[in-house]
Amino acid sequence: DTAVSQTPKYLVTQMGNDKSIKCEQNLGHDTMYWYKQDSKKFLKIMFSYNNKELIINETVPNRFSPKSPDKAHLNLHINSLELGDSAVYFCASSPSSFSGNNEQFFGPGTRLTVL
Amino acid sequence: AQSVTQPDIHITVSEGASLELRCNYSYGATPYLFWYVQSPGQGLQLLLKYFSGDTLVQGIKGFEAEFKRSQSSFNLRKPSVHWSDAAEYFCAVDQGGGNKLTFGTGTQLKVEL
């Protein structure tokens, strides 16, 4: 039983294309996140949604648009892909966003390569 | 703004040896502190966390960490390392209330057999 799943696992595409990454959690959590891990393994939060509402929106280009159709899903759409978007993108979820003592459960990651 | 420093980028230890991975944070109040492990090609798995109370916390896989307020540190330890512990280790801090994790740059652990 996969708790947090992401598709696809690998994504190779050309510059300028538009692509989406999907995330689903079956933990019944209220809050979901997207993180970007660069080539130096540095992890940085991009977005957080609580029960379908955006609550964290870091300084991310507006080519990145998250969408949460329901609280179990948080998708990431990226327009006009650039070389610098190449990274591993992790989805995560936690029971709530309003208490800092919540463990975040991470998905396996999506490795995006922009050529 | 909160920040997390992991001074050691790479650490190599022999199997069976003890391990300590360093983590220092910068935040005014007591933060929520976490250690995650990332195996190659995998997502992150929580090893342990500190919120309050006993400053020595036990985690999974035989790991423990000690919160030292005076040193703003939350070092991860294991008395005897196994080859399967080879991975990337991340310290993270949440200043509380928002579940916004700030990660350190990670320490890559190699285990020599």
Side-chain angles (χ1 to χ4, degrees):
Chain A
D1 288 343
T2 304
V4 182
S5 59
Q6 297 178 226
T7 53
K9 189 169 175 63
Y10 300 96
L11 185 53
V12 181
T13 188
Q14 300 286 335
M15 266 196 318
N17 285 350
D18 303 336
K19 290 293 178 186
S20 292
I21 306 172
K22 295 186 176 182
C23 178
E24 176 181 2
Q25 54 95 3
N26 63 5
L27 298 166
H29 289 167
D30 285 340
T31 307
M32 296 184 72
Y33 312 79
W34 277 110
Y35 287 84
K36 179 180 180 180
Q37 186 176 46
D38 64 22
S39 58
K40 295 183 179 179
K41 300 284 184 75
F42 183 63
L43 266 162
K44 186 168 169 53
I45 191 166
M46 300 172 70
F47 302 102
S48 172
Y49 270 71
N50 184 70
N51 210 358
K52 302 193 298 177
E53 287 192 26
L54 180 67
I55 54 171
I56 293 175
N57 185 354
E58 291 297 286
T59 307
V60 177
N62 56 15
R63 298 183 293 105
F64 290 78
S65 52
K67 285 189 171 51
S68 182
D70 55 63
K71 74 174 192 177
H73 295 85
L74 180 62
N75 303 324
L76 183 65
H77 188 76
I78 316 171
N79 289 326
S80 302
L81 279 155
E82 300 178 356
L83 292 176
D85 298 331
S86 295
V88 181
Y89 292 85
F90 286 100
C91 177
S93 72
S94 67
S96 166
S97 64
F98 300 113
S99 172
N101 61 356
N102 279 291
E103 174 184 354
Q104 293 186 23
F105 293 78
F106 283 78
T110 296
R111 181 174 293 277
L112 171 65
T113 303
V114 182
L115 303 175
Chain B
Q2 61 193 28
S3 66
V4 181
T5 302
Q6 292 180 247
D8 304 305
I9 299 174
H10 301 282
I11 283 186
T12 301
V13 298
S14 299
E15 190 175 36
S18 63
L19 172 70
E20 183 169 31
L21 302 182
R22 296 183 289 166
C23 174
N24 293 94
Y25 66 89
S26 165
Y27 179 59
T30 301
Y32 300 114
L33 296 158
F34 304 81
W35 273 101
Y36 282 86
V37 61
Q38 183 181 24
S39 297
Q42 303 295 316
L44 281 77
Q45 180 184 23
L46 182 71
L47 286 175
L48 46 77
K49 57 190 177 186
Y50 173 78
F51 301 142
S52 64
D54 193 347
T55 56
L56 184 64
V57 293
Q58 302 297 321
I60 62 171
K61 305 185 181 189
F63 285 92
E64 67 178 25
E66 186 171 11
F67 169 62
K68 292 186 177 180
R69 184 190 305 274
S70 61
Q71 298 176 19
S72 297
S73 69
F74 187 56
N75 294 348
L76 182 72
R77 301 194 293 249
K78 187 169 184 178
S80 178
V81 169
H82 188 262
W83 64 266
S84 60
D85 293 325
E88 190 90 21
Y89 291 79
F90 292 95
C91 182
V93 61
D94 180 353
Q95 64 188 28
N99 266 8
K100 181 178 168 181
L101 286 180
T102 297
F103 283 88
T105 49
T107 296
Q108 185 176 51
L109 173 65
K110 293 184 179 178
V111 180
E112 290 180 335
L113 300 177

